Amino acid sequence: MKTERKIFKYVLWNTIEDYTMLMHLLPDIYNDINERYDDNLTVAKKVLLFYLENGYVTFFYESWKNPNNYTEIPKDKALKLLMETSSWENPDKNHQWITVSATKKGEELYYSGQIENNDFILPHIL
């Protein structure tokens, strides 16, 4: 499987597995996918932009003060947060984590194996 498809598959799996903090996707892309890509933030943003625009994932806020309590972020706001570098960093104690989780459509995409099929068009990320 081509590296780009591996990255899309791996990121989607992380969103299915749990509510994943955006910042936790970066070392996973670097360590587990391909060490050649130093600008993991750009790669991660492109992948999540595709998934978010197409309804495969949803973003949530998670408060430090009330962990495991997720508040859905409207799509228009999520698109803006996705592009902000601060959303990918460790927030201070007064802020909230930005997390991502797969939608039912995202889960179906992952389990269908379509990501591995060259007929399924993914954007160029590398």
Side-chain angles (χ1 to χ4, degrees):
M1 182 182 345
K2 192 173 172 188
T3 300
E4 287 182 329
R5 290 198 180 273
K6 285 181 186 178
I7 292 171
F8 274 94
K9 184 176 180 180
Y10 190 78
V11 169
L12 189 57
W13 171 249
N14 275 330
T15 67
I16 290 171
E17 197 172 60
D18 203 354
Y19 290 87
T20 303
M21 293 175 198
L22 294 185
M23 63 184 282
H24 288 169
L25 293 174
L26 301 176
D28 290 341
I29 289 172
Y30 180 81
N31 293 326
D32 294 332
I33 300 299
N34 197 323
E35 293 180 6
R36 294 181 304 164
Y37 304 108
D38 293 329
D39 194 1
N40 299 323
L41 181 57
T42 299
V43 171
K45 284 179 179 181
K46 288 178 182 178
V47 171
L48 286 180
L49 180 62
F50 170 79
Y51 284 143
L52 188 60
E53 286 179 330
N54 291 287
Y56 295 115
V57 299
T58 303
F59 281 26
F60 295 86
Y61 290 116
E62 180 185 10
S63 172
W64 278 54
K65 295 178 182 178
N66 194 5
N68 298 318
N69 185 12
Y70 302 96
T71 303
E72 187 171 343
I73 301 171
K75 186 176 180 178
D76 60 332
K77 175 71 173 171
L79 287 166
K80 291 176 185 171
L81 289 171
L82 170 64
M83 296 304 159
E84 293 178 12
T85 302
S86 61
S87 298
W88 295 82
E89 297 170 348
N90 195 2
D92 68 34
K93 64 183 175 183
N94 296 320
H95 290 89
Q96 299 176 342
W97 297 100
I98 307 297
T99 63
V100 59
S101 186
T103 61
K104 180 133 179 89
K105 181 179 176 181
E107 289 182 26
E108 290 170 358
L109 174 64
Y110 181 86
Y111 291 117
S112 73
Q114 283 184 304
I115 295 173
E116 299 168 16
N117 183 338
N118 288 333
D119 292 333
F120 186 76
I121 306 300
L122 294 172
H124 181 68
I125 58 170
L126 303 175

